[in-house]
Amino acid sequence: MLNLLCIPDPAVVCLRQGTQELGTDEFQKMDIVDGQQRITTLILLLKQISLSLSSDDRSQRKLLDELQDLLVKPDSDELLLLQTNHDSSHYFSNFLRTGKSSASSSAKTTSDREILAAIEDCRSFVDKWKASGNDLISLGALLKNRLYFLLHEINEEKTVYTVFEVLNSRGLTVSW
């Protein structure tokens, strides 16, 4: 079972890119410099949880509404938490909007295959969580209340690369 509380490097490094207005809300836009995989996986997991919740159950409906509002802005259909740069096949955005995905074996590029495999992994994780007798409310509570990331915001682009190099030159190689 995945231990959600033991992330070896919970840091996320972002470059501030101004603000964006969606309806009456204003959001801080940031480019994720380091931590893309952690954030993407978390968002895919949140979407899979929302797909597995029952709208008929009152307590599950509350979490379902929270997750839907968090992931996609209802009145504009824009993604709130994460918009990827390399989603030319739109697998990531389609999954967040519709909950549908293709098999990873059908992907033509490595990045598409990896995002589809991550969706499959999240689906498998949620299924195993439920099969173990755990409820999705407790998983939602765990993610909401016990999972932390260290957010390091950078205002100057020239500083980004220095921070990235320092964080990633600590002995672990980056791989797919």
Side-chain angles (χ1 to χ4, degrees), residues 9-149:
D9 182 8
V12 176
V13 179
C14 297
L15 174 63
R16 281 183 177 256
Q17 295 290 11
T19 59
Q20 177 179 354
E21 291 182 12
L22 295 175
T24 59
D25 296 321
E26 184 175 284
F27 297 93
Q28 184 68 46
K29 283 182 72 172
M30 293 186 227
D31 286 341
I32 300 173
V33 177
D34 193 32
Q36 297 97 333
Q37 186 174 354
R38 287 182 282 281
I39 297 297
T40 303
T41 302
L42 176 61
I43 291 170
L44 292 174
L45 181 57
L46 292 173
K47 179 60 180 183
Q48 187 58 50
I49 292 168
S50 76
L51 292 171
S52 300
L53 291 167
S54 169
S55 60
D56 296 333
D57 181 290
R58 190 172 155 192
S59 60
Q60 288 189 20
R61 180 68 204 185
K62 183 177 186 252
L63 179 58
L64 176 61
D65 290 342
E66 286 178 18
L67 292 174
Q68 286 176 333
D69 289 345
L70 181 67
L71 296 171
V72 179
K73 184 76 171 163
D75 56 346
S76 69
D77 203 34
E78 287 201 45
L79 301 179
L80 280 182
L81 289 181
L82 185 65
Q83 296 178 17
T84 59
N85 291 338
H86 305 288
D87 190 21
S88 59
S89 299
H90 306 288
Y91 291 126
F92 179 80
S93 58
N94 288 341
F95 179 68
L96 290 186
R97 286 189 178 95
T98 68
K100 297 177 182 167
S101 65
S102 302
S104 59
S105 59
S106 69
K108 293 184 170 95
T109 67
T110 302
S111 62
D112 286 345
R113 191 170 26 263
E114 292 300 320
I115 200 74
L116 291 171
I119 292 169
E120 291 168 354
D121 288 345
C122 288
R123 184 176 297 124
S124 174
F125 177 80
V126 170
D127 289 345
K128 287 178 186 174
W129 181 271
K130 291 188 322 187
S132 298
N134 299 305
D135 67 55
L136 293 174
I137 300 297
S138 64
L139 179 56
L142 180 68
L143 293 170
K144 186 176 178 179
N145 301 312
R146 304 278 309 271
L147 179 65
Y148 296 94
F149 291 102

